[in-house]
Amino acid sequence: MRWRHIVNVWIIFADWLWWDVLCGLRRRVLLAAPEAAFTRHERLMLVLAPHHLIWTAGSLVPRTMLTRLGRTIRLDRAMVNAHSALFHVPVLRELCIALNFRAASRAVGAESASSIAVFPGGGLEMQLQRPGRDTLVLRRGFVSLAIERGMPIVPVYLPNETAVYAPLPHFARLRERVYGASKAGVPLWTGWGGVPLSPLPSRGRYLCVIGAPIDVGRARAPSAADVDAALAAWEEAMRLLHAKFARSAGRDAGHAIAFDRSRL
């Protein structure tokens, strides 16, 4: 529909104006593998982590990020798997549709879609973020879907996701209780100058690091062993990306990465 294209243009313009011009956030996409490793696949599953605020530079406007990736690895029709609750709020619903989001409760990875992007950690991962540490929630669901669809898994590490808006360490238990009762994330953060709930992000660099695709094969009913093996490969890939790129993203030497296995 024409109105969706018009909305997309305005969103991309507003995204550039806000993050790059007004906020001074230098964003860059890095490929950790040769371009040929991506272009030989027709469809890919981008698995992004960590997940913090849903409206940061790599989350609310993934259309812009995917557009940039698309010029490199042909993700021109990629769709983003988002929380189903967003589609029950009138204004957010139209915004999500324009950004090519798809409700997580619906089947994703349809044959008509070239690629999909997911934040597997969801609201739980948002609650687990702490200053100086990125916590990634391990789940088997996205791996099973990738194997069923025959889509290679692409590890995407966002080393500055918890830097442009730092997680507020206070009220951690309260947020976890709210999530446990409602499955809804409660974002609390500090922005520019350490001001709590500031809409202005911390200035600096924002990197999106894309690792090499992980071939997971294809099976209509993947076995537990195949799922666990692919999940272990994604975990190891994220560890390596953290070790290689966290410092170049401006994180200090003590910045750590951890994995939560409570949802396995």
Side-chain angles (χ1 to χ4, degrees), residues 50 52 129 133-134 158-167 251 255:
H52 189 210
Q129 302 310 320
R133 185 193 71 197
D134 290 337
L158 307 175
N160 300 108
E161 183 73 4
T162 55
V164 293
Y165 290 104
R251 309 313 296 258
H255 185 76

Side-chain angles (χ1 to χ4, degrees), residues 23-237:
C23 296
L25 198 62
R26 303 189 306 274
R27 295 180 295 174
R28 186 182 177 189
V29 175
L30 298 179
L31 290 182
E35 184 176 336
F38 302 94
T39 55
R40 64 188 181 90
H41 299 288
E42 292 184 3
R43 302 194 306 159
L44 298 168
M45 175 182 285
L46 276 74
V47 183
L48 299 91
H51 178 36
H52 189 210
L53 295 179
I54 61 174
W55 47 276
T56 56
S59 303
L60 175 66
V61 280
R63 165 65 68 187
T64 300
M65 302 294 287
L66 291 174
T67 299
R68 295 182 182 185
L69 301 181
R71 289 199 290 263
T72 305
I73 59 177
R74 301 175 186 174
L75 293 178
D76 55 315
R77 295 170 60 212
M79 60 182 180
V80 183
N81 198 21
H83 197 290
S84 304
L86 297 176
F87 293 84
H88 296 287
V89 181
V91 176
L92 290 180
R93 178 175 60 246
E94 279 68 36
L95 181 61
C96 288
I97 293 174
L99 288 171
N100 207 26
F101 283 22
R102 188 173 184 138
S105 60
R106 298 175 59 188
V108 296
E111 297 299 329
S112 60
S114 60
S115 298
I116 62 175
V118 299
F119 284 86
L124 175 61
E125 194 167 279
M126 182 191 302
Q127 309 313 309
L128 295 177
Q129 302 310 320
R130 299 289 185 273
R133 185 193 71 197
D134 290 337
T135 300
L136 280 58
V137 177
L138 297 179
R139 299 179 188 268
R140 293 188 175 94
F142 76 89
V143 179
S144 297
L145 177 63
I147 297 177
E148 291 171 5
R149 302 293 184 181
M151 304 174 70
I153 294 175
V154 179
V156 181
Y157 178 49
L158 307 175
N160 300 108
E161 183 73 4
T162 55
V164 293
Y165 290 104
L168 190 66
H170 308 298
F171 310 109
R173 289 188 177 181
L174 176 60
R175 283 183 291 163
E176 291 177 8
R177 289 180 179 177
V178 170
Y179 176 81
S182 63
K183 303 304 178 185
V186 181
L188 294 175
W189 71 93
T190 59
W192 181 77
V195 179
L197 306 183
S198 170
L200 296 176
S202 300
R203 291 177 177 267
R205 183 184 301 175
Y206 187 95
L207 293 184
C208 175
V209 184
I210 308 173
I214 302 170
D215 191 0
V216 296
R218 184 165 189 171
R220 179 173 297 181
S223 65
D226 291 339
V227 172
D228 289 343
L231 184 60
W234 178 78
E235 178 183 350
E236 180 61 23

